[in-house]
Every structure is written in C-alpha cells, then in structure tokens.
Amino acid sequence: MAAPVGAPHALPVDAVAAATRTDPATGLSRADAARRLVADGPNELTAGATRTWLQRIGEQFANPLVLLLLAAIVISLVAWALEGHGDLPFDAIAIGAIVIVNAAIGAVQERRAEKAVAALQEMAAAQAGVIRGGHYERIPARDVVVGDVIVLDEGDAVPADARLTESRALAISEASLTGESVAVRKSADAVDAQTPMAERTCMVFAGTAAVAGHGRAVVTATGMNTEVGTIATLLDRTERQPTPLEREIAAVGRFLGIAVLVIAAVVVGAIVAVSDIDSASDLVEVLLIGVSLAVAAVPEGLPAVLSIVLAIGVQRMASRNALLRRLASAETLGSATVICSDKTGTLTQGEMTVRELLIADGQIDVTGTGYGPSGELRAAGVPLGSDIAGVARQALAAGARAGNATIRLDERGWVAVGDPTEAAIVAAAAKAGTPAARPGPDRLDELAFSAERKRMTVLVTGSEPASADPMLYTKGAPEVIVDRCSHELTTTGPIALSEARRLWWQEGVDDMAGRAMRTLAIAGRAHPGPELTEESEHDLVLYAVVGIIDPPREEAAPAVADAQGAGIRVVMITGDHPRTAHQIACDLGIADAASTPVTGRELDELEGDEFADAAATTPVFARVAPTHKLDLVEALQDRGEVVAMTGDGVNDAPALKAADIGTAMGVAGTDVAREAADLVLTDDNFATIVAAVGEGRGIFHNIRSFLRYLLSSNVGEVLTMFLGVVLVGVIGLEAEGEAVVAPLTAAQILWINLLTDTGPALALGVDPIDPGVLRRPPRRPGERVLDAAMRRGIALVGLTMAIITLFMFDLKAPGGLIEGSSDTDTARTAAFTVLVLAQLFNCLNARSDRTSAFHRWAVNPWLLLAIAGSVGLQVLVVYLPVLNDAFSTTPLPLADWLWSALLASSVLWVSEVRKLLARSSARTSDPGVSPSGHGS
C-alpha cells in the first residue's frame, strides 16, 4: 500500500520520487498504478456512516418536552377510558399529531445536514492528466494514485495533493481551501517543514484549480489522506451542538414534567381529603379532575406554536436574503455574542481589484470593484486630464498585454479567466478605455513568470505611433522591475530616472504595501529584435506601479458597526496573510492600528488558558488552518459565548458546523460551506447577518411572550383548583348532593386549556419586532428563557387569576366569606368566565416582562382578533344549551359579565404596577435604561 508521504513540501524532488517509488519523467506503469488503486482504494472522499430514517426519527423523541407530551397522551387516554369510551379521544389525537409532525420535521432537517461531506465529493476533478509509462493520458480523477505524475495546465482542477517537480508560471487558486485571496505562484523548490499550508509553494492540493501557467507534480496523498480529506474527517466528527433555544426548551420540559406529577398528586390528594368519597364513580370523577388538571398543566401547544413562530421568522429572514436550514437556529442569531467571520469573499469582494495607480506625475485612484469595467480613473477625486489619462492608459494597456488573463461577462456577471491579479489589471485597463484582448497573433515572444524571475515579459507587434518596432512589455515585483529601468514615463515623454526619483517610487510602493495592497510594476520599451532574452529586460521605461487588493464590501463596515452597537464582538479568522487581514480589519473597524494579528503558527504554541485568552481578546487571526478555526469557535463556546461563524470556503466548513449558528455565502460560497451551515446568505452580504440578528432577537422576544402567557395561564388554572379545594369551606364550595368538591369541572379545565394553547398564544408569537431591538445588547450567555424575573411574574399573574376566580365563586355561591344567592353551577360558570377573561387580559400583559401593555398595544391585529374570537367562543359555551350540558354551565346575566370583566382586568393592573416598579428599579441601577423599558 502506498502511504501518503510525510511533509513532502520539505523534501527535494528526488526524495519524494523515491518515497513514492515513481519516476518523475515517465510516471508509474499502468500495472503498478492498477495495483496501487486496488490497495489504496479510489481517490475520493468517503462520508461517515449515515443514520437510517428510523434512527433519526427515534432521536427526536429524546427531547424532554416531547417525552412530556407522550405522557400527556397517555394521561388523556386514561381520562378517555375513565369516562367510558365515549367520543374519540380528541386531546390524545391532537397531541399525537403534534409529536409526529415535529419528529418528522426534525428528521428531515438532520438529513440535510448530513449532506455536507457528500458535497465535498462533488469537488473532485472529473478527469486528470497523468504520465503513465512515459505517455500522457487522461484518466478519471478517482483512479489517481500515490506516485502518479500529474500534468496541470491553466483551468485544470487539481485531483490530489502533489509535490511539484516543475513549474512554468503555474498559479493556483487556493481561496476555498486556505482563504488566500491571491492566486499562489508555485515553484518546485522545497520549503521548511513548519511552513503553513497556505505558504507551501511547492505543493498543489486537491480541490483547488490552476488559473495560469503549467506544471507537473508527483502525487503524495489521495482521497481522505489529502488536506481536503482532513477537512472532511473534521466535518464528519464535528458534533452539531443544540441551539440555546433547544437547550432551554428541554429544560422547561424537564421542569414541567416534574411539576405536572406533583400538581396532579397534590390536587387529587386534596380533593380526596375534603370530599366524601363513597363509590367507585366518585373516585373516577376525582381521578378525571386530576388527569384533566395534569393535561392542562402541560402546554401541549408549545411545540406547535414554537415551530410556527420559528417558521414565520424564517420566512421573514428569507425575504431579507437569509435562508435558515434549521428552524431552531432562527432564535440563535438573536442570542449571538460573537460573530467570527472569514475575510475573503465574506467581508471582502472575493475579487482582486486595482485600487491605485502610481505614475511619475502622481497617484491615481481607480473606482469600481471586481472584474467588471464599471469605474473610472480619478486624480485627487476628479476625472483625469487628457495628458495624465494618456500615461495611465498606456501603462494599464501594457500591463494587460503582459499577461495571459482576460475578463468575460456570463450569467454570474463579470468573471476572471486566468490569473485573478492579471484579470484585475485587464479590468482597470477597460475602465481607462483600453481593454486588452486575449493574447493572440500579435504576441511575438514571451518570457514566462517564475518564482525566481518574479516578472513576465512579452514582445508584441508595434502599437505606439512613434515606433514601428515591436514593443517589449513587462510586469512584476517592483524591486525587480525598477532596478531594470533607466527612464520613467511622464506626460511629456520618457525622462531619465534619477536616484531621488527611484527613492520616490520606492516610498510609493512601501505606502501601498503598508495598506495591504499587492504591488506590481509595469514597464516597457521598443525592442527591434524578433526574440526576447533576459538581456532584453534592461534599459526599460517605468510606466507605473499598480496597487491591487481584494477590497472590503461597501456594506461591511456599516454592518460591523451595527453589530458592535448591538453588543456583538466581531472577530476576523482567515487563512490570508496577516498584514492583509489586519489592514482590512482596520478598514472595517474590527481592529485598530495598535492591535496585532495572531497567526496559526502562534496559536499552535498556545495551550489551555493562553489559547482561551487569545480567542477572547484578539480581533484578527491570520494564516490559520481549518483546525484552528474549529478550535477558536470551541474555545469561545467554552467561555459561554454564543458564536456565529461566517465563511464561504471548504476550510470554513468544520467551524461552520460546530458554531451555534454557521453562516455561509450563498453566491460565492462552496457547496460544502452551504451544506455545513445553518444560515445561507443569498446575497453574500455581511450586513444581512446583522439584519438577521434583529429578526432572531424579535423571535426570542415573541417566544418569551407566549411562554409567559402559556405558563402563567396554566399556573392560574392549577392554583385555582388547588386553592379552591384547600379553601373549600371558606368560599362556600360545599354543595349538596356532590361527593366531589372542586371549583371547576374537568371539562371546563380542558376548555380553558384549549383557548389558551391556540389563537392567543400563536398571535403572541407573531408580534411585530420592536424597531429598537438592535440598540440593546444580546442576552447574557447563560441567561435562561425563564429567568427569575419572568418566573416571579408568572407566579404573580397565576396567583392573581386564582384569587379573582375564587372571589367570583364566593361572590355568587351561597355561604363563604360573601353570602351569594346563586346555585353552584351558576357560581362555577361565573368563576369559569372570570378565569377565561383573565387569561385574555393576560395576552396583552404577556407581551413583555417590563414594557407597559399599553405600549404599541394595537400593533398586532392578530392578537386583537384572537382575543375577540376567544370571547365569542366563551359566550357560546355560556349560552348555547348543548354546550351548557357539555360544560355544566348556565346563562349569565349582563351584570355578571361586567363583574367578570372587571375582576379579570385586575390581572392587567397588578402586572402594570409590577412593571412600573421594575422599570423604576432598572433606571436606578442603570440610568441608561429608557423610560418605556423596552425589552422582553
């Protein structure tokens, strides 16, 4: 078996050939390659074992809330059996449907997540050029083996990791693998063993592509042993963590499960203690009340309402170009405390652009971004005069002709064909009005770029009016080109290049480099001969130096500022060069000039707390590997941060999957990144993330609203039953002819629960988002959905509901503290109505734990409609004879309705006083809190 070669980038070519048992000139024989293919297996990525649909669905039932709902089904079936198998068990059927639908949705979503590694397989090149037995042939990329000699030409995908044996101006685009925004020029020279992957110039990697030049290489690793295979392994092993919302809902489910058992046991015990139970039917009635109360205490509508609210939030995000792949992730964005962002293609355009042009007469700015011809040349902010424009056009035309790239318009827009840096010069030439055609018959000769030469020179037919001789054009590293120049081009023509002027040019180059631009010098001269030699590259006229950069997206800086204003820390994590990363970070406001980027090599030297401290305080990480990105995300999570990770490349995928909310670019991003992410931005706009954060915060606010409503209403029902039984003699509940004494019947409890868990709760879930949501900090890491203040509010509202309900019963019933004149059924109907109306008043109150119910009270028409509908249903229960029999109700006079509404409104007034005190306390401790106290 041919094992992968360890550190081939540090070995000379002959050592790599010996280690792989191959000949760099003739390659492997067909027989040897066939044996190796059988031994090593095909050159493709293998996904981990996938779970069956049955396994996925089964895992959905491990959620505590789902287990609680299953228990509610059993309880409902017991109640149905105790009642004598009458009509269908509608409660059990409804709850069962909710459980099945939620399990199916969860299983489908998880299946989609497992496609991430499968997407990696699609990156493999379909065909590869190899030398077998001394002959060139094309074979399926999956048949490439260790020791094969592969041939790479412009446009070829790299089929496997390989050590270069020769390079002729070979440039490889590695952005998706390493984050390097500039195509990497390759050479066959070995590098140090500790060199980061992004700087291993003698290696080519599977999943990348040749954009210029030619080369040959010996394959050193295939399949899962390649660098992209390492990422696939990381991705497969990375556990997707439950979202904060999923953890919170699970905690609520566990709490409610225990509470339901205790409540049912206590209430049933209390009823038995105060009632005169002397028959089996009496015992059945007691158990039925206990079962009904247990079902009422379980907010079985919670999963359905939660799913609907999240789905609506997902639709709103989609309308703003953010597609969520997991419903529960909708809220997570609102909880984000850190956004870790890739640079290339995320914060930047992902397209090389000429930003500046330095000519002898001064600096020229080039507007427009990307490879399109839209833009113009400006000097000091104004369009160029004709003389300077002429020099600029001549310089850019020369630079465009001294390359092999071009630009073209397709369905994606303007794209580069060939080396991105060369394409950037072609685009700049088009902006200057001199587009350059792809190299054609007018090119007479060429001296190719190499890592040693650091320049490319071409000889073309004469094009300048003053000369019929062929023209030599060259571009390359400024320190190489300027040394070969004897003149510089000005608006009056070429003049001698003095030492002082050489220094001036060097200062200009240093200034551009200091602002993270890649610099290239352009020069030329007439050349009488038909052929080029290295001796031809002297006595040149220096035309210009261009400054090229992958520029920040225009919307990125405002979006970063918005995120920071919302209390979210933004961190850049990239595989690009530290200087480039730091400059872009400073331009965007992520870092300042005093900060220092931390590199992947430096991260390798940190352990334990040092690594955690670096993750918590450093704004820019550069030259990092995929494992570093994953480690940084996990280190932040270990500190309790809720991490949103953005990226577009293969190298981002493991971190995207591990983050609390992985965010991939939908246009420029790879399939791998999109499949691993929770959120996909269809416009590749970093600002969309910030907008989605606002949506997420609004979703969390609404989830708290309907949780507050559901739980406080359930507490009100439970306390009404419990206190009614305990205070049976005090409120005059001892009724003649009734063995079982309770303030409400089982049917009335279930009816109240039906009203609570449907329209009003759902309407609260779609409350419009407060416009000021992004002006507040994110909720603190570890802060519970049901925090102490919310629990106190729920208890106070529930107790108020119980007191006013029992007061109404006492007011109507004979005996008790207040002598009434009505019978028990009328007293129960009045108390029943008070409790229903109290819960409807609670709809308005539950919209916030601190904000007044009268703030934007009419902004949600669905809530007002739900309240009106519930009142209408209660009127039917009170007045329709058929429902009177089913729910043990009697018609009430108008006065009783007025008394019921007045008592029920006390829920609102008690909460208003509590909120007023809470806002006053908050202003005392934090003067910056707004008087309205907006918040959850």
Side-chain angles (χ1 to χ4, degrees):
M1 179 174 179
V5 180
H9 54 280
L11 300 176
V13 170
D14 56 355
V16 173
T20 57
R21 304 191 309 280
T22 192
D23 185 333
T26 62
L28 300 172
S29 68
R30 289 188 177 88
D32 191 8
R35 284 192 295 269
R36 296 189 186 195
L37 184 61
V38 171
D40 298 349
N43 173 38
E44 58 189 13
L45 302 177
T46 57
T50 58
R51 293 167 295 169
T52 65
W53 278 107
L54 190 60
Q55 288 173 318
R56 293 191 199 96
I57 292 174
E59 288 172 1
Q60 307 306 313
F61 290 92
N63 186 303
L65 187 58
V66 174
L67 294 176
L68 186 59
L69 294 180
L70 293 176
I73 293 173
V74 174
I75 292 172
S76 297
L77 290 174
V78 169
W80 176 68
L82 290 175
E83 288 178 314
H85 300 77
D87 295 328
L88 290 174
F90 292 109
D91 284 331
I93 293 172
I95 298 171
I98 290 171
V99 171
I100 291 171
V101 169
N102 276 279
I105 292 173
V108 169
Q109 289 168 342
E110 289 195 5
R111 173 66 185 95
R112 292 176 65 189
E114 289 176 358
K115 292 181 180 178
V117 174
L120 277 165
Q121 294 175 313
E122 299 301 319
M123 292 190 60
Q127 295 284 314
V130 298
I131 303 296
R132 292 265 176 96
H135 300 286
Y136 175 84
E137 58 185 84
R138 300 285 292 178
I139 64 171
R142 67 189 308 273
D143 293 344
V144 170
V145 296
V146 171
D148 259 328
V149 176
I150 58 174
V151 179
L152 295 173
D153 291 309
E154 181 179 323
D156 286 345
V158 180
D161 290 3
R163 170 68 163 84
L164 285 167
T165 60
E166 61 179 86
S167 171
R168 288 175 289 168
L170 182 65
I172 303 291
S173 175
E174 297 179 347
S176 66
L177 184 64
T178 67
E180 176 67 64
S181 56
V182 178
V184 180
R185 294 287 183 176
K186 297 292 184 175
S187 78
D189 295 336
V191 296
D192 185 76
Q194 301 304 314
T195 302
M197 181 172 63
E199 298 176 5
R200 296 174 189 172
T201 53
C202 61
M203 296 292 298
V204 291
F205 302 104
T208 62
V211 296
H214 317 279
R216 287 192 180 193
V218 174
V219 173
T220 56
T222 61
M224 295 300 288
N225 292 318
T226 62
E227 293 292 345
V228 74
T230 301
I231 295 174
T233 302
L234 270 178
L235 191 59
D236 192 42
R237 293 177 180 174
T238 300
E239 295 286 338
R240 189 184 291 281
Q241 300 299 317
T243 69
L245 179 62
E246 289 171 329
R247 292 193 291 267
E248 286 296 308
I249 296 300
V252 170
R254 287 190 292 270
F255 169 76
L256 290 177
I258 297 171
V260 164
L261 295 175
V262 172
I263 288 166
V266 169
V267 172
V268 168
I271 293 175
V272 171
V274 301
S275 302
D276 186 15
I277 306 297
D278 57 9
S279 67
S281 62
D282 292 341
L283 182 59
V284 167
E285 189 174 351
V286 172
L287 292 176
L288 186 58
I289 290 176
V291 166
S292 300
L293 191 60
V295 173
V298 176
E300 62 264 18
L302 177 57
V305 174
L306 185 62
S307 294
I308 292 171
V309 168
L310 291 174
I312 292 172
V314 167
Q315 289 178 343
R316 283 202 299 243
M317 288 186 182
S319 69
R320 304 184 71 169
N321 301 309
L323 299 180
L324 271 166
R325 304 182 69 246
R326 283 204 298 169
L327 284 181
S329 300
E331 178 276 332
T332 310
L333 263 176
S335 306
T337 58
V338 179
I339 297 177
C340 295
S341 179
D342 180 38
K343 179 189 74 68
T344 305
T346 305
L347 292 168
T348 65
Q349 296 283 345
E351 299 177 339
M352 301 304 292
T353 302
V354 174
R355 271 292 176 83
E356 292 182 10
L357 184 68
L358 185 65
I359 63 174
D361 294 284
Q363 178 184 308
I364 298 170
D365 297 324
V366 183
T367 66
T369 58
Y371 301 120
S374 298
E376 61 180 351
L377 277 59
R378 292 175 172 268
V382 298
L384 300 183
S386 59
D387 291 342
I388 296 179
V391 174
R393 279 195 294 270
Q394 185 175 340
L396 290 172
R401 300 190 76 179
N404 295 312
T406 187
I407 57 176
R408 73 161 180 251
L409 183 64
D410 63 15
E411 67 278 1
R412 297 168 294 173
W414 286 94
V415 297
V417 180
D419 184 281
T421 302
E422 291 184 350
I425 298 176
V426 174
K431 294 172 187 178
T434 58
R438 188 173 180 82
D442 64 337
R443 181 175 294 185
L444 304 176
D445 200 3
E446 171 186 338
L447 295 177
F449 179 93
S450 70
E452 296 78 21
R453 286 171 39 78
K454 297 183 179 180
R455 63 191 182 277
M456 176 181 180
T457 303
V458 299
L459 185 65
V460 299
T461 55
S463 59
E464 297 193 14
S467 173
D469 289 332
M471 289 297 299
L472 176 156
Y473 296 127
T474 185
K475 71 176 191 320
E479 65 273 17
V480 174
I481 299 297
V482 174
D483 281 349
R484 285 165 169 73
C485 291
S486 58
H487 292 74
E488 58 182 332
L489 183 63
T490 70
T491 54
T492 58
I495 62 172
L497 184 60
S498 66
E499 289 303 316
R501 292 295 297 171
R502 290 180 188 276
L503 181 61
W504 180 86
W505 282 97
Q506 185 59 51
E507 289 173 347
V509 170
D510 292 343
D511 176 62
M512 289 182 183
R515 288 180 286 127
M517 293 186 189
R518 182 180 184 185
T519 56
L520 288 175
I522 301 170
R525 69 176 177 88
H527 186 279
E531 296 180 356
L532 289 174
T533 67
E534 292 210 0
E535 291 301 317
S536 305
E537 300 172 316
H538 290 281
D539 296 323
L540 303 173
V541 178
L542 181 57
Y543 291 166
V545 173
V546 294
I548 305 173
I549 196 169
D550 177 13
R553 294 179 177 273
E554 292 181 3
E555 67 279 354
V560 168
D562 287 344
Q564 292 169 338
I568 302 171
R569 178 175 167 237
V570 181
V571 181
M572 179 188 288
I573 306 178
T574 179
D576 210 345
H577 193 281
R579 185 175 64 189
T580 304
H582 185 248
Q583 182 61 50
I584 295 293
C586 289
D587 291 344
L588 296 176
I590 295 173
D592 56 37
S595 62
T596 303
V598 173
T599 65
R601 184 176 293 183
E602 291 168 338
L603 284 175
D604 289 335
E605 298 172 357
L606 303 179
E607 296 181 359
D609 291 342
E610 290 181 332
F611 189 98
D613 289 342
T617 59
T618 304
V620 180
F621 296 91
R623 278 289 187 256
V624 294
T627 51
H628 294 132
K629 295 189 177 189
L630 181 60
D631 291 343
L632 287 168
V633 167
E634 291 177 341
L636 290 167
Q637 289 173 325
D638 289 343
R639 284 189 166 237
E641 304 285 0
V642 178
V643 182
M645 173 75 196
T646 73
D648 64 344
V650 178
N651 56 330
D652 301 314
L656 289 173
K657 186 176 180 183
D660 296 289
I661 180 77
T663 306
M665 302 297 108
V667 178
T670 61
D671 286 343
V672 183
R674 286 192 289 268
E675 288 293 341
D678 304 294
L679 178 70
V680 178
L681 305 183
T682 60
D683 59 355
D684 286 11
N685 190 336
F686 184 81
T688 302
I689 301 172
V690 181
V693 167
E695 293 285 353
R697 290 188 180 182
I699 289 170
F700 177 70
H701 174 92
N702 290 348
I703 288 172
R704 294 195 75 182
S705 294
F706 71 70
L707 268 177
R708 187 183 295 113
Y709 172 67
L710 288 173
L711 297 181
S712 58
S713 296
N714 287 359
V715 168
E717 296 166 29
V718 169
L719 289 179
T720 295
M721 293 297 289
F722 177 71
L723 294 178
V725 172
V726 171
L727 303 174
V728 60
V730 176
I731 62 174
L733 189 51
E734 298 177 2
E736 293 184 9
E738 292 189 12
V740 178
V741 180
L744 299 173
T745 67
Q748 289 169 349
I749 295 170
L750 293 175
W751 173 257
I752 296 171
N753 203 47
L754 176 64
L755 291 184
T756 301
D757 284 3
T758 51
L762 183 57
L764 281 170
V766 296
D767 222 28
I769 295 174
D770 189 328
V773 71
L774 279 178
R775 293 195 293 271
R776 297 190 291 271
R779 63 188 177 107
R780 295 183 300 276
E783 180 182 344
R784 309 301 298 267
V785 172
L786 292 175
D787 59 16
M790 188 168 166
R791 291 195 297 270
R792 288 193 297 269
I794 288 171
L796 178 61
V797 169
L799 181 60
T800 303
M801 286 183 183
I803 291 173
I804 61 176
T805 301
L806 296 177
F807 177 81
M808 188 62 176
F809 189 99
D810 188 23
L811 185 66
K812 301 294 293 182
L817 296 176
I818 304 172
E819 185 64 37
S821 58
S822 302
D823 57 25
T824 301
D825 280 348
T826 301
R828 277 199 178 114
T829 302
F832 173 39
T833 300
V834 167
L835 187 52
V836 168
L837 295 181
Q839 293 193 4
L840 297 180
F841 275 109
N842 191 32
C843 288
L844 299 173
N845 166 64
R847 293 177 62 232
S848 175
D849 220 13
R850 187 176 292 179
T851 305
S852 169
F854 299 101
H855 173 68
R856 301 171 74 234
W857 69 274
V859 74
N860 186 353
W862 294 108
L863 182 59
L864 302 179
L865 185 62
I867 292 173
S870 297
V871 171
L873 290 173
Q874 183 63 16
V875 169
L876 294 178
V877 166
V878 172
Y879 290 108
L880 277 183
V882 65
L883 296 180
N884 291 156
D885 293 337
F887 290 97
S888 302
T889 57
T890 60
L892 296 176
L894 180 60
D896 284 353
W897 278 96
L898 294 176
W899 271 108
S900 296
L902 181 62
L903 285 172
S905 69
S906 61
V907 169
L908 189 59
W909 307 122
V910 167
S911 294
E912 283 297 298
V913 172
R914 181 187 63 82
K915 292 178 182 180
L916 180 63
L917 294 174
R919 292 197 297 271
S920 177
S921 175
R923 285 196 297 272
T924 301
S925 58
D926 184 2
V929 175
S930 65
S932 64
H934 297 170
S936 293

